[in-house]
Structures are given as structure tokens and as C-alpha cells.
């Protein structure tokens, strides 16, 4: 069984930065060219995003990639 702790932390941080930017989950999904439910799944730790998607999320949220992991 895979430890979801790191994925939950990433999801929590994405949610924090997304809300600071005033973006909905659907809008962020659109901006990263993903399914409209994608961000919600990531924020709940249900899906594992690729590094490419995480980089794109960090750029849109105007934060360093490392901040999504801390």
C-alpha cells in the first residue's frame, strides 16, 4: 500500500495557493489543460500528478515548485 501522506500535503498546498489566487478547482484545471475534476482529485490525494503538471500548477499559482511539497 502506498503512503498518501506526501500526496495529501501537495494537495493541501495546492488548495492553499489556489484559494489565495481566487481560482476555482475547475478554472485551475482548465489553465493546466486537465479534466475539470483533476484538481479536486489532487487536492484530496486521490490522484498523483505528473511532475510536468505540478510544474505548470506552480507556475500558474506563481509559487516555487518546492512550496507545493513543504
Amino acid at each position: 500500500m502506498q503512503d498518501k501522506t506526501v500526496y495529501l500535503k501537495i494537495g493541501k498546498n495546492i488548495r492553499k495557493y489556489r484559494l489565495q489566487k481566487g481560482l476555482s478547482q475547475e478554472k485551475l484545471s482548465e489553465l493546466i489543460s486537465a479534466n475539470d475534476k483533476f484538481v479536486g482529485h489532487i487536492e484530496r490525494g486521490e490522484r498523483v500528478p505528473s511532475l510536468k503538471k505540478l510544474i505548470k500548477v506552480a507556475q500558474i499559482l506563481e509559487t516555487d515548485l518546492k512550496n507545493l511539497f513543504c
Side-chain angles (χ1 to χ4, degrees):
M1 184 171 183
Q2 200 172 33
D3 182 7
K4 291 178 64 169
T5 306
V6 69
Y7 304 123
L8 290 171
K9 182 173 263 316
I10 291 168
K12 180 181 175 184
N13 288 329
I14 287 173
R15 180 174 174 16
K16 177 180 81 172
Y17 289 108
R18 175 180 62 76
L19 292 174
Q20 286 176 358
K21 296 293 283 180
L23 295 172
S24 67
Q25 290 177 342
E26 293 80 10
K27 184 62 179 175
L28 181 55
S29 292
E30 178 186 320
L31 292 171
I32 64 170
S33 303
N35 173 299
D36 64 342
K37 306 276 188 221
F38 186 73
V39 171
H41 290 295
I42 292 172
E43 288 182 358
R44 292 186 298 276
E46 298 170 353
R47 298 215 26 211
V48 178
S50 68
L51 180 57
K52 186 176 181 177
K53 287 287 186 200
L54 285 176
I55 291 169
K56 200 165 187 178
V57 166
Q59 290 171 338
I60 290 166
L61 297 178
E62 298 177 341
T63 189
D64 289 330
L65 182 60
K66 68 180 179 180
N67 291 336
L68 300 182
F69 291 86
C70 298

